[in-house]
Amino acid sequence: MQKKWWHEKTAYQIYPKSFYDSNGDGIGDLPGIIGKLDELKELGVDIIWLSPIYVSPLADEGYDIADYRNIDPRFGTMEDMKHLLDEAHARGMYILMDLVVNHCSDEHEWFRKACEDPDGQYGKYFYIETVKPGEKLPCNWRSYFGGPVWEKLPGHEDKYYLHVFHKKQPDLNWENPKLREEVYNMVNWWLDQGLDGFRLDAIINIKKALPFKDYPADRDDGLCSIHRQLEEAHGVGLFLGELRDRTFLPHNAFTVGEVFNEKPEELPDFIGDQGYFSSMYDFEETIFGQSPMGWHENVDITPDDYKACVFKTQKKIAEVGFISNIIENHDEPRGVCHYIPEGDLSLTSKKMLATVYFLLRGLPWIYQGQEIGMENLPVSDIGEVDDISSHDAYQVALDAGCTKEEALHLIEKYGRDNARTPYQWNGSAQAGFTTGTPWLRVNPNYHRINLEAQKQDPDSLYQYYRRLIALRKSAEYKDALVYGTLVPYNEEEHNLMAYERIGEQHRMLIIANFQKEARSVQLPAGEAVVVLTNAKEAQIRDGAIALAGYQAVVLEIK
Ligand code: GLC
Ligand code: CA
């Protein structure tokens, strides 16, 4: 694997709507981000991905783009964006935008023109099919957000368009070279403005299994999971290779793909030295336990499951490329609530989870608020919920026989609002996020969990993240913690997650006691030096280390 400039960096995802509101309208914005760059720098962040800020009706919170070349006025202006790029670059930081090109918004000019003339140039930018009254739809795929993927084309009784996400997100037809050309021009235009790269949204969906056909229904609605056709949609690599060659490569852009379903043999194509993307996310643990039947059938992930998922990815990637490691993002519940067994959530267990995922081989990502240990949001009524996928999941759960309380509890566990509540800056009104009324309610725990308090507390999660970031980057240990190979340690031991990172000069052992009971673990031969721990001390005696519940230790083995 070739070394790349970004391997040693730390990446951070901002969800702009909920980061910092500079003008009191309740919506986070670009000036708000600019004003907080120094905070991020202080934490140790280098690369920042912004969830979408393009012009959008915000039906899917910006993942429905109505104009790719402009900033939504709620987030700011193009001048603000250029200002952000300049300010970030002046601090040695990099900015990525979200590239959402599987679909656009039904309010995009292309789609409006397609409605006016479905047989014209713009009609061919989408998947539009004629369905005469009484005829069946072209296929029975279920959209990611529920219901059929086909929706009547406005103004036409006998025409339907495809949307694999929400009906306000019509799919773009990548089979059409003209559409691809539009996309490449747009991507190059952004990179010419000085943007450093992209996170590629839902990118694997750009290839459909054609011609459209039904698959066996997997629920009573007569529809089948959208994943079914993805398995048969071959040839996405042709599009991805072209996209890379025409845009990212000539600009030397950094890219990270949102990919859920690659096959092991495809990994070199995706993130090898000449891959379609610089990196892609590891979602193995993210999707563990998810049921195609709905949230009510999801299974909790245990510490042993978590370990198995993480190591599966690490073994699969080995030296092929550099994966991106996360515990949460804007689509997932808060990582600390998801991966730490219920009842065991504490400052210590949060630090333990941070240690084990952050020092894996790959690029570590922090989602806003993760560094202060933000938690899931209590929900008492469906009316409080913003996220469109939660609304669908709620209905699915009720239809399956869940009570209202049970269905709401599922939203508390899995809903996307959990990650989208305003950032908790301090203990003042609205957590210091806005002087107005926030677009989504602030988590009521902000008096207990906020950045200002944690900056003053040397023992806080925030300060621990700073130490982790500095340790991974340190000139002394980066040969092992960034570039070293990863070898699981005592892999079969229940509720123990441990691995070695072996570099050219250093051998490090990361050891985490993923349970509340104390334990002792035998160390490898050699002198063991404690480099970092989340507890007061780490006692080593006769070649074994005594670990308190949820204790994590980073050791150098000499
Ligand atoms: C991705 C995004 C998600 C969005 C979807 C459709 O999965 O992360 O937020 O709803 O794509 O664009
Ligand atoms: Ca604002």
Side-chain angles (χ1 to χ4, degrees):
M1 190 194 67
Q2 288 163 8
K3 279 195 181 177
K4 303 274 168 65
W5 64 266
W6 51 270
H7 286 162
E8 295 175 18
K9 306 295 186 197
T10 302
Y12 189 94
Q13 180 188 355
I14 289 185
Y15 196 69
K17 200 174 182 186
S18 303
F19 192 59
Y20 185 70
D21 172 23
S22 71
N23 62 353
D25 65 356
I27 296 177
D29 45 50
L30 288 175
I33 296 172
I34 296 168
K36 298 293 186 187
L37 282 178
D38 286 331
E39 294 276 8
L40 296 174
K41 187 79 194 170
E42 211 180 311
L43 175 61
V45 168
D46 310 289
I47 300 173
I48 298 172
W49 151 34
L50 306 178
S51 275
I53 46 170
Y54 310 89
V55 175
S56 166
L58 305 187
D60 186 22
E61 294 304 352
Y63 286 90
D64 46 322
I65 297 173
D67 181 355
Y68 286 101
R69 295 181 191 229
N70 271 304
I71 305 296
D72 193 284
R74 284 166 283 197
F75 296 128
T77 63
M78 201 58 198
E79 272 55 55
D80 294 329
M81 188 62 202
K82 290 188 177 148
H83 190 191
L84 172 63
L85 291 173
D86 289 344
E87 291 293 321
H89 294 159
R91 289 167 176 79
M93 299 166 99
Y94 305 83
I95 301 285
L96 316 178
M97 287 175 91
D98 223 305
L99 185 66
V100 189
V101 286
N102 172 67
H103 45 268
C104 59
S105 161
D106 64 342
E107 298 182 31
H108 194 289
E109 188 188 5
W110 297 338
F111 192 72
R112 280 200 267 110
K113 287 184 175 160
C115 294
E116 281 161 22
D117 180 12
D119 299 320
Q121 178 189 342
Y122 291 99
K124 298 191 177 65
Y125 278 26
F126 300 90
Y127 291 97
I128 296 174
E129 298 282 323
T130 304
V131 182
K132 297 258 180 284
E135 282 179 4
K136 61 183 275 306
L137 295 171
C139 63
N140 69 339
W141 309 346
R142 183 186 306 109
S143 80
Y144 285 100
F145 298 147
V149 292
W150 296 99
E151 182 73 18
K152 208 173 257 181
L153 191 72
H156 302 268
E157 277 310 301
D158 63 346
K159 295 214 182 307
Y160 285 73
Y161 68 92
L162 178 84
H163 63 89
V164 303
F165 289 93
H166 193 256
K167 64 180 181 205
K168 284 189 67 68
Q169 296 168 297
D171 279 59
L172 293 167
N173 185 350
W174 275 69
E175 305 292 337
N176 178 353
K178 277 213 170 107
L179 179 273
R180 300 206 297 276
E181 209 60 35
E182 291 265 18
V183 171
Y184 305 154
N185 288 340
M186 178 270 286
V187 171
N188 284 326
W189 181 82
W190 272 109
L191 293 171
D192 287 339
Q193 316 283 318
L195 189 73
D196 300 295
F198 293 97
R199 174 261 188 182
L200 309 183
D201 180 72
I203 195 68
I204 222 66
N205 293 281
I206 62 177
K207 185 77 193 181
K208 272 75 183 171
L210 299 174
F212 297 115
K213 66 166 195 208
D214 285 358
Y215 296 95
D218 52 24
R219 288 188 203 162
D220 294 344
D221 59 6
L223 305 176
C224 75
S225 160
I226 191 75
H227 298 282
R228 189 63 193 76
Q229 62 90 25
L230 273 180
E231 288 162 21
E232 285 179 25
H234 300 293
V236 71
L238 286 176
F239 295 157
L240 295 176
E242 191 179 80
L243 172 64
R244 170 199 57 202
D245 294 343
R246 295 284 310 279
T247 63
F248 308 144
L249 217 56
H251 284 91
N252 195 18
F254 173 79
T255 55
V256 52
E258 186 196 24
V259 180
F260 283 95
N261 62 339
E262 85 289 347
K263 301 174 187 72
E265 65 273 18
E266 290 173 335
L267 275 172
D269 297 338
F270 279 79
I271 55 167
D273 284 339
Q274 320 300 332
Y276 308 133
F277 323 125
S278 311
S279 183
M280 65 189 208
Y281 293 103
D282 172 25
F283 290 124
E284 194 70 40
E285 49 288 331
T286 312
I287 60 176
F288 180 92
Q290 287 181 1
S291 164
M293 301 309 288
W295 290 354
H296 58 288
E297 293 209 2
N298 283 3
V299 174
D300 286 348
I301 183 164
T302 66
D304 286 345
D305 298 327
Y306 177 75
K307 170 171 68 178
C309 289
V310 167
F311 286 165
K312 181 177 170 199
T313 298
Q314 291 284 328
K315 288 174 192 168
K316 189 170 77 177
I317 307 281
E319 304 288 308
V320 168
F322 224 58
I323 196 85
S324 278
N325 295 309
I326 59 168
I327 59 166
E328 62 196 51
N329 64 27
H330 67 292
D331 291 330
E332 300 302 327
R334 289 290 179 174
V336 291
C337 298
H338 192 64
Y339 297 116
I340 298 168
E342 227 174 317
D344 288 357
L345 199 54
S346 68
L347 180 56
T348 304
S349 59
K350 286 178 177 181
K351 287 178 181 171
M352 184 221 66
L353 183 63
T355 317
V356 283
Y357 105 95
F358 199 88
L359 298 177
L360 292 171
R361 189 172 177 284
L363 180 67
W365 287 74
I366 296 172
Y367 176 72
Q368 70 178 44
Q370 179 187 323
E371 72 278 22
I372 55 170
M374 282 178 63
E375 297 173 5
N376 283 349
L377 178 70
V379 185
S380 53
D381 188 273
I382 186 68
E384 297 170 349
V385 176
D386 171 78
D387 165 32
I388 46 178
S389 76
S390 292
H391 281 275
D392 172 57
Y394 180 73
Q395 199 51 52
V396 170
L398 291 181
D399 293 348
C402 291
T403 64
K404 267 189 182 169
E405 288 65 35
E406 287 163 345
L408 290 175
H409 184 58
L410 292 170
I411 296 179
E412 293 179 324
K413 267 185 97 159
Y414 304 114
R416 303 197 296 181
D417 286 353
N418 284 313
R420 300 178 179 185
T421 60
Y423 190 95
Q424 292 162 210
W425 294 101
N426 56 46
S428 71
Q430 310 299 358
F433 161 72
T434 180
T435 54
T437 307
W439 72 277
L440 182 66
R441 68 194 191 289
V442 172
N443 192 313
N445 68 14
Y446 71 90
H447 297 286
R448 184 167 55 84
I449 299 175
N450 66 69
L451 178 67
E452 194 177 274
Q454 295 199 18
K455 283 181 84 167
Q456 286 155 16
D457 175 3
D459 195 36
S460 66
L461 185 65
Y462 168 82
Q463 298 294 358
Y464 190 80
Y465 264 104
R466 285 191 64 199
R467 289 199 278 276
L468 267 178
I469 294 172
L471 178 67
R472 180 178 174 278
K473 279 183 188 171
S474 69
E476 186 170 7
Y477 291 120
K478 71 180 178 191
D479 69 293
L481 294 180
V482 175
Y483 298 104
T485 51
L486 183 144
V487 183
Y489 185 75
N490 289 8
E491 194 177 349
E492 299 308 321
E493 210 173 315
H494 175 54
N495 286 354
L496 179 80
M497 183 153 173
Y499 53 87
E500 291 188 64
R501 296 295 314 275
I502 303 170
E504 279 169 11
Q505 290 99 40
H506 295 88
R507 177 174 171 206
M508 312 297 286
L509 176 64
I510 291 90
I511 247 189
N513 181 19
F514 215 137
Q515 60 178 16
K516 53 178 173 295
E517 295 78 21
R519 73 173 344 133
S520 163
V521 178
Q522 198 63 38
L523 294 175
E527 186 199 344
V529 180
V530 176
V531 176
L532 182 73
T533 178
N534 62 346
K536 278 201 190 65
E537 52 172 8
Q539 272 189 13
I540 302 174
R541 197 172 301 151
D542 300 333
I545 186 164
L547 299 170
Y550 289 103
Q551 182 166 4
V553 187
V554 181
L555 299 154
E556 183 187 348
I557 308 289
K558 292 192 183 174

